[in-house]
Amino acid sequence: MLRDLPSCLLALLLSHLQNVLAKHDLHARSNLVDVNGTTSLWLPQDEYSGSSFFDRWDFFTGDDPTQLTYPLSYTTRDDAFASGLAFTQPDGTVIMQGDNTTQLDKGVPRKSVRISSQAQYNGGLFILDLNKAPWGCGVWPAFWTVGSGNWPWAGEIDIIEGVHDNQHNQVAWHTAPGCTLATNGTFSGTLVNVNGKNHTDCNGLINDNAGCGIVEWSRASYGPYFDAQGGGVFAMKWDENGIAVWSFYRTAIPKDITDGVPHPDNWGPPSAALDPSQCDPLAFFKNHTIILNITFCGDWAGNSYTTSGCPGTCFERLQDPRNFVNATWIINSLKVYGKQNLNGLVSSANDPLVPAQGRLPFWTTLLTAPAALLL
């Protein structure tokens, strides 16, 4: 019981609690009530930023399943750092980029980077603050999460994805059979439509593995215009109420995000949303790692190259390093928040809203501790 804690530790915890409550302004309870009536907070859980950014990531070096035709080489951690494909700048911003200095013969793989978080998640609020996201002819970047085991049985969530010089980000979900994107859900984007057919079946085993998807309405959500705005923030909320994605260019980032006390219910309709009425977000998506990568050509960028307006062929594009000067992530931070319901304690490391590896900080249970325990 808390009364048994050393007085100095209890004082520290109570002080921290007071600061959190003040920041979240618990007197304004309407800001904290979910659509299902549950009162909750999104509390800091993991932060990836600055000189320690790469400490909790693995560098993927296996064969890229999207590269069945085009050459690509994902580098090791040591090679990425040695060749300048991954590093942190003196101001704390993080750089990840494809090789933009080496002239290659046709068919020789161009080096790039793909990293996966060592932590796994079963829900959360993921907020990525970027100064720049990759783009360019033949470039295919992605910020996504994917479940462990055989794909797509634990699900995949594509938060940022696009090709070439597109201006609109595409959000997508890939699942086992049985998950459908509700067309009457609340979102501002447009359903992905191919040959007159909306992609609303999220089954990743059909339709060339396309899953279901929504294209963001804002032309500042991807490509050169996003970078020209000084970048911005992408946020993905995943809980029992569904999976939703928002994007904000630099001057439109909500103050609660910059203050570190996010309230997604105050952000307006998301750009894309998977409603729980036709897809259980806690059943179809499990044990996800976070992934950031830059692919060149591949199934999407390669197959769409001839209709993209880009010059030559994607094979030719890969040879000249000058074509990849914009194939760069410039990251300020990636913050993950865990959901704390105020009407119940965090009781199990297997709680679907608690990371698969680790738990929310112990002090978060103070939010609902009976007053008598604080005496």
Side-chain angles (χ1 to χ4, degrees), residues 132-141 162-166 222-224 227 294-297 301 305 308 310-311 314 317 322-328:
K132 180 182 179 66
W135 59 274
C137 286
V139 178
W140 175 10
V163 291
H164 310 310
D165 296 346
N166 288 4
Y222 185 86
D227 289 352
I294 308 169
T295 292
F296 302 133
C297 297
Y305 195 89
S308 67
C310 293
C314 217
R317 190 77 182 176
R322 294 173 297 178
N323 294 329
F324 303 98
V325 294
N326 290 305
T328 302

Side-chain angles (χ1 to χ4, degrees), residues 16-35:
H16 200 152
L17 173 62
Q18 288 174 341
N19 290 335
V20 170
L21 297 183
K23 284 184 178 181
H24 282 275
D25 187 13
L26 288 186
H27 296 294
R29 285 298 181 95
S30 61
N31 292 339
L32 307 174
V33 178
D34 291 343
V35 293

Side-chain angles (χ1 to χ4, degrees), residues 79-291:
D79 188 28
F81 292 151
S83 57
L85 301 187
F87 60 96
T88 303
Q89 300 190 114
D91 65 358
T93 53
V94 174
I95 307 296
M96 276 182 52
Q97 58 190 355
D99 172 20
N100 57 21
T101 61
T102 308
Q103 182 70 37
L104 300 175
D105 292 333
K106 190 174 182 179
V108 175
R110 181 163 297 280
K111 291 182 179 180
S112 189
V113 180
R114 170 172 164 170
I115 59 174
S116 305
S117 67
Q118 294 171 357
Q120 293 186 343
Y121 301 90
N122 282 291
L125 179 61
F126 304 77
I127 299 181
L128 179 65
D129 187 325
L130 299 169
N131 289 340
K132 180 182 179 66
W135 59 274
C137 286
V139 178
W140 175 10
F143 166 51
W144 49 301
T145 69
V146 67
S148 59
N150 292 331
W151 188 92
W153 297 97
E156 174 183 324
I157 307 168
D158 300 324
I159 305 164
I160 303 176
E161 192 173 24
V163 291
H164 310 310
D165 296 346
N166 288 4
Q167 293 183 330
H168 301 272
N169 180 47
Q170 180 169 305
V171 178
W173 298 270
H174 307 263
T175 69
C179 172
T180 303
L181 173 59
T183 58
N184 60 347
T186 302
F187 52 84
S188 60
T190 304
L191 295 172
V192 172
N193 185 289
V194 179
N195 298 323
K197 180 182 178 182
N198 288 333
H199 277 206
T200 57
D201 191 336
C202 304
N203 182 358
L205 303 175
I206 62 174
N207 297 327
D208 296 322
N209 312 121
C212 58
I214 294 172
V215 178
E216 293 205 46
W217 67 271
S218 172
R219 68 189 181 100
S221 62
Y222 185 86
Y225 196 68
F226 173 79
D227 289 352
Q229 302 300 308
V233 159
F234 285 82
M236 186 268 283
K237 180 174 74 73
W238 165 22
D239 63 9
E240 72 277 8
N241 300 311
I243 301 174
V245 173
W246 290 262
S247 67
F248 307 99
Y249 54 88
R250 181 63 55 196
T251 60
I253 299 172
K255 187 174 184 298
D256 56 49
I257 289 180
T258 57
D259 288 346
V261 286
H263 295 312
D265 290 341
N266 291 343
W267 299 344
S271 302
L274 186 66
D275 193 271
S277 63
Q278 296 183 29
C279 184
D280 185 340
L282 303 182
F284 283 92
F285 302 88
K286 298 178 180 179
N287 300 329
H288 276 215
T289 56
I290 308 168
I291 299 177

